[in-house]
Amino acid sequence: MFATLLSAVAVAISAVPGCGDDETPAQTGSDFLSSYAKALCDRTFTCCDAATRAAHGLDASSADACASQLEAILVAVSSGGEVKGTFVPEKAEACLAELDAAPCAEIQILDVLLGVDAKFTPSCREAWDGSVPEGGTCGNNWDCVRDHCVHTVDASGQATSACRATAVAGEPCSSRFDCDEALRCDQPSPPDAGTCAPRIAMGGSCNGSLDCEEELRCSQDGTCQTREQAGGPCASDQDCAAGMACEGATCALLGAAGAPCSADSDCASFACADATGTCADVCKGG
C-alpha cells in the first residue's frame, strides 16, 4: 500500500485523481484539487483517530488545516493546478462518491500526503482526458493520454518529467515492471525482449513469484502455489501471505497494533510510532 503512496509522491501523486465535496463537481483543475484535498482529509479525519494520525506523521490539527496543506502540495506538483486535458465532470462526480465510500483501512497516510488505493477509486484516473503523449513533458498523471507522469531527478539535481505508459497484454517488455501491474513479462529467452501476458494461475509453471497471480508465489518446484503462512519457509517476502514478512527464512507476522517495533516495515500498518516504539493501528472508524 505504501509503495503506491510513495511512488505517487515521486510521480506527482498517483493518488491525486481527485475527489471533492458532496455538492456540485468542480469545473476547473484548481477547484478540483481543492475539492479533492478537502474530501480526502475529511475522510481521513472521520476514519482515523488522533493517535493513529499522529503515528503516521499527520499532525494537522483539523481536517481543514490538513486540506490546506495537502492542496498546496498538490498544486505545487501539478503545474499550479493546471491540467493538460479535458475535464470530465461525470467522472469527477463519480470519483467524489468513491472516495467518500472508501474503506477506512485503505486510507494511506505519510505525513500530510494522503491517498486511497486506486482500485477503490477507479473513476478518479478518468477525471481528465489527458492530451500529452508518451514521452511528453507532464505535471501530473491526468496530463497523460495513457498511464502516468514519471518525475525523475538526476545526480546533479536536475528534475525532469515525462508520460510513461505501461504495456498491456501482447505488447513488448524487457521486465515485469514494463507491464501493467496485472500482467507479467513472458520472456522465453531472457534477456531477450518478451511480451506482456496474464499472470499465471495456481499450478502453472513460473520463473519467479512476479509471474504468478497476486496471492500466489513461485514455489521451489517451479509452479505457482499458495503463499506460505506464519512459520512456513521463505526466501523473500513474496513467498509469504499478506501481512507477513520473510525473517530468517521463515514467514512471520508483521506487528499488530501495540507490538514493539524499530521501523515502519516491522508493522502491518507500516507505521512505527516513534514516541512509544510500538506499531500504530490502521484506521478503523467511519
Side-chain angles (χ1 to χ4, degrees):
M1 185 166 69
F2 273 82
T4 301
L5 184 59
L6 291 171
S7 68
V9 178
V11 190
I13 316 271
S14 224
V16 118
C19 299
D21 53 30
D22 295 331
E23 299 176 0
T24 305
Q27 298 300 311
T28 69
S30 59
D31 286 345
F32 194 45
L33 291 179
S34 176
S35 296
Y36 165 77
K38 182 181 186 307
L40 188 48
C41 286
D42 284 349
R43 185 63 176 158
T44 299
F45 272 67
T46 295
C47 285
C48 313
D49 62 23
T52 301
R53 296 195 306 268
H56 287 270
L58 178 59
D59 58 6
S61 59
S62 66
D64 286 345
C66 165
S68 179
Q69 296 172 25
L70 181 57
E71 180 184 356
I73 292 172
L74 300 184
V75 169
V77 299
S78 59
S79 303
E82 295 300 320
V83 176
K84 300 171 183 176
T86 302
F87 185 60
V88 185
E90 59 273 20
K91 291 295 185 180
E93 186 174 12
C95 173
L96 308 185
E98 291 163 0
L99 182 60
D100 187 57
C104 287
E106 298 299 332
I107 297 291
Q108 303 169 7
I109 307 174
L110 182 62
D111 299 330
V112 76
L113 293 170
L114 308 176
V116 177
D117 192 305
K119 68 184 179 183
F120 295 102
T121 56
S123 299
C124 293
R125 180 65 182 86
E126 301 173 348
W128 267 273
D129 285 333
S131 62
V132 179
E134 185 171 3
T137 301
C138 50
N140 58 65
N141 292 346
W142 285 322
D143 287 344
C144 302
V145 170
R146 180 177 164 192
D147 286 335
H148 42 259
C149 181
V150 176
H151 289 243
T152 57
V153 180
D154 63 22
S156 68
Q158 181 67 37
T160 58
S161 67
C163 289
R164 181 180 299 169
T166 52
V168 299
E171 292 186 331
C173 57
S174 58
S175 79
R176 155 75 182 83
F177 302 101
D178 292 335
C179 303
D180 181 85
E181 62 181 12
L183 303 174
R184 63 188 171 94
C185 186
D186 183 14
Q187 293 174 278
S189 303
D192 293 346
T195 302
C196 291
R199 295 174 76 169
I200 300 166
M202 174 78 79
S205 298
C206 55
N207 294 314
S209 292
L210 289 177
D211 286 344
C212 302
E213 292 179 348
E214 185 174 359
E215 297 304 319
L216 304 178
R217 64 184 174 91
C218 190
S219 64
Q220 292 182 345
D221 68 358
T223 62
C224 292
Q225 301 293 332
T226 303
R227 294 192 183 204
E228 294 287 348
Q229 299 298 315
C234 59
S236 71
D237 290 348
Q238 293 171 348
D239 292 334
C240 304
M244 300 184 192
C246 187
E247 298 182 3
T250 302
C251 291
L253 286 168
L254 292 172
C261 58
S262 58
D264 289 342
S265 57
D266 294 334
C267 304
S269 64
F270 206 82
C272 180
D274 292 336
T276 62
T278 59
C279 292
D281 205 349
V282 295
C283 298
K284 293 181 175 179

